[in-house]
Structure formats: structure tokens, C-alpha cells
Amino acid sequence: MELKNYAPSKLNYIHQITIDCVILGYSNKEIKVLVPKLIFNGDFFALPSGFVFQDEDVNDAAKRILHERTGLENVYLEQFQVFGQAKRNSTVFLDKLRSLNPDIVSDQNTAAREHEWFTKRFISIGYYALVDINKVVPQKSSLDQSISWFNIKDIPEMIMDHKQIVIEARNALRVDLDEKISAFKLLPETFTIKEIQELYETIYEKEFVRTNFQKKILELNVLERLEKKYTGAKNKAPYLYKFKS
């Protein structure tokens, strides 16, 4: 397998800076993470990632990467942590990749140059994105064999520190929820109070008393109640709500 034209070291990127995106969705009472599997021989899973152009704002780079992987515009996005350990580099990953893919680059000069570029210390800016999973059409990059949703509790082993980045994104989401009232971005446009509670219980991994939770959510004054009721319930049909614009 060859990547004759893949030479990011020759492009106008800021050296040794990457963006790693943790794209979170919600379905069937599970928090999901969108994870690509790389096209090479071996089970290499990685976060949707990319580089920043010299003339590009960091946030714009993150938005570009998210759009390329989800097809969505105006995605809810939070920068949550910078990963800058002194020994943070991709040497172990690349050595394993090259051992399983000896023909990855035919030109030895190119191989040496790109290996040197990639194995330098990289500082990663971590973002998490909250999406309505039903609106996402996952997009593969030229380096992906596949791209799939995984339960955040069951994500596969990932390259470098990407699995730890997912854990830190989940922790940041929990901290941010009350202040930024962001959880609603994981739901469809309309929802019931019960569905909100189920979402919060999934994120925090604990149960809430229904009456207390409903009181707390309604007191935030961020929801608009719709006249139309949800008709799928066997008992009294609950009202539908939407997030105030």
C-alpha cells in the first residue's frame, strides 16, 4: 500500500500542532463517539484529526475537520484541553504501522522526511463536538478504511493518547453541562422531559429523582413547551419541548 502523494510536511501547516476532535452523539441511551479506522494493515483506530494552516484560525480548523467528517455546519464545539506532554509523539505508532505496511511509501527520501516530521513532539488541541446523531452522515477521509459510532464505554484501543483524550472530553462535558446547558445539542429538535432526564443520566452514569430533575430543568428557563404532545406513551401523553432559540 502506497501513499505517494501524502506529504503533509510539504504543505503550509503549522508544525507540531494538531487538532483532535471527539465527536459525540446520543442514541438508545448511549453516548457514542465517531471513530475512524485507518486504511493500513493492522487495527489502527484514531480520532478525527487534522492540522492547522499557517493562515487559519484554530477554531476554524476544528470546524473544517468536523464538517469534513460529519457533513454538518454550525456544530456545537468546545475546546476543552491542550495535550502537550514533553514526550508526546507518534514514534511507537508509526514504527508499528511501518512494520505492518512496509510498502507504505515507495520513495525512501519521502519516507524518511515524513517519518521525521511525524515523530517530532506534537501538541494537540482537544475539541469535543455535540451532534444530533440522526443528522450525521459519517465521512471517510483518504486515510480511513471505515468510520463508525462506538459506545463511549466500548471504544477500541486507539493510537497514541487518543483514548485518554476521549475520557477527558467526557469529563469536560460533565463539568460543562450545567453552566453551558449544552446537552440539548445531542437531542433532536423536539423532546420530552423524560428524554432529557435519560440523556443526563447517561452522561453522568447515575439516576435522578424525576420530580427534582424536572423542576431543575424547567427552572433553567431555556425550554419552550409545544402544544403538540408526544403520542407514543400509553398513559398520559407528555408534552414536547424544544430549546429556546
Side-chain angles (χ1 to χ4, degrees), residues 134-174:
N134 299 306
K135 293 182 178 180
V136 174
V137 180
Q139 307 288 320
K140 294 191 297 182
S141 76
S142 60
L143 297 180
D144 297 336
Q145 180 185 102
S146 62
I147 182 168
S148 306
W149 291 104
F150 288 84
N151 186 326
I152 198 169
K153 296 180 180 180
D154 299 314
I155 54 176
E157 289 303 314
M158 305 178 78
I159 68 170
M160 298 177 62
D161 56 355
H162 285 199
K163 197 165 188 176
Q164 184 61 36
I165 292 175
V166 173
I167 293 171
E168 296 299 334
R170 181 197 60 194
N171 293 341
L173 173 61
R174 289 173 175 171

Side-chain angles (χ1 to χ4, degrees), residues 19-23 34-36 46-50 65 69 147 158 162:
I19 288 178
D20 289 314
C21 297
V22 182
I23 303 174
L34 192 60
V35 179
L47 288 171
S49 305
I65 294 165
R69 294 313 186 94
I147 182 168
M158 305 178 78
H162 285 199

Side-chain angles (χ1 to χ4, degrees), residues 1-65:
M1 182 184 303
E2 293 186 9
L3 291 176
K4 295 180 180 179
N5 299 317
Y6 188 67
S9 69
K10 299 179 71 175
L11 299 178
N12 191 33
Y13 291 131
I14 299 174
H15 293 184
Q16 296 173 254
I17 297 287
T18 60
I19 288 178
D20 289 314
C21 297
V22 182
I23 303 174
L24 300 173
Y26 174 70
S27 178
N28 298 322
K29 300 182 183 180
E30 293 180 352
I31 299 297
K32 307 275 193 175
V33 185
L34 192 60
V35 179
K37 181 180 181 182
L38 302 184
I39 199 170
F40 314 106
N41 295 328
D43 290 333
F44 296 107
F45 294 88
L47 288 171
S49 305
F51 305 107
V52 184
F53 288 105
Q54 293 285 349
D55 58 353
E56 184 179 36
D57 290 349
V58 170
N59 285 345
D60 288 341
K63 293 174 184 176
R64 169 175 54 81
I65 294 165

Side-chain angles (χ1 to χ4, degrees), residues 7-220:
S9 69
K10 299 179 71 175
L11 299 178
N12 191 33
Y13 291 131
I14 299 174
H15 293 184
Q16 296 173 254
I17 297 287
T18 60
I19 288 178
D20 289 314
C21 297
V22 182
I23 303 174
L24 300 173
Y26 174 70
S27 178
N28 298 322
K29 300 182 183 180
E30 293 180 352
I31 299 297
K32 307 275 193 175
V33 185
L34 192 60
V35 179
K37 181 180 181 182
L38 302 184
I39 199 170
F40 314 106
N41 295 328
D43 290 333
F44 296 107
F45 294 88
L47 288 171
S49 305
F51 305 107
V52 184
F53 288 105
Q54 293 285 349
D55 58 353
E56 184 179 36
D57 290 349
V58 170
N59 285 345
D60 288 341
K63 293 174 184 176
R64 169 175 54 81
I65 294 165
L66 285 167
H67 176 67
E68 290 170 353
R69 294 313 186 94
T70 65
L72 299 179
E73 300 279 1
N74 301 317
V75 173
Y76 181 89
L77 187 65
E78 285 286 348
Q79 184 185 127
F80 68 94
Q81 189 170 326
V82 173
F83 298 85
Q85 297 86 340
K87 295 182 179 180
R88 187 181 189 275
N89 62 64
S90 58
T91 302
V92 173
F93 155 59
L94 284 178
D95 286 349
K96 182 177 180 181
L97 186 148
R98 293 182 71 182
S99 70
L100 296 174
N101 300 267
D103 299 325
I104 190 171
V105 179
S106 57
D107 180 76
Q108 293 305 309
N109 290 330
T110 299
R113 184 187 67 237
E114 297 307 309
H115 186 270
E116 180 184 5
W117 194 81
F118 272 106
T119 53
K120 290 181 179 179
R121 173 192 179 183
F122 267 81
I123 294 172
S124 174
I125 304 171
Y127 285 82
Y128 71 78
L130 306 181
V131 299
D132 178 351
I133 199 170
N134 299 306
K135 293 182 178 180
V136 174
V137 180
Q139 307 288 320
K140 294 191 297 182
S141 76
S142 60
L143 297 180
D144 297 336
Q145 180 185 102
S146 62
I147 182 168
S148 306
W149 291 104
F150 288 84
N151 186 326
I152 198 169
K153 296 180 180 180
D154 299 314
I155 54 176
E157 289 303 314
M158 305 178 78
I159 68 170
M160 298 177 62
D161 56 355
H162 285 199
K163 197 165 188 176
Q164 184 61 36
I165 292 175
V166 173
I167 293 171
E168 296 299 334
R170 181 197 60 194
N171 293 341
L173 173 61
R174 289 173 175 171
V175 172
D176 290 344
L177 276 189
D178 285 341
E179 179 183 348
K180 299 180 179 178
I181 318 176
S182 54
F184 301 98
K185 301 296 183 179
L186 291 165
L187 293 171
E189 184 177 351
T190 62
F191 41 79
T192 65
I193 293 292
K194 181 181 178 182
E195 288 171 333
I196 301 172
Q197 181 169 343
E198 289 173 346
L199 171 60
Y200 270 73
E201 289 177 341
T202 301
I203 293 172
Y204 285 111
E205 296 184 309
K206 66 178 182 180
E207 294 184 357
F208 297 100
V209 177
R210 184 183 63 83
T211 52
N212 292 348
F213 181 85
Q214 178 171 321
K215 183 174 183 292
K216 176 183 176 180
I217 288 296
L218 293 178
E219 285 179 348
L220 293 174

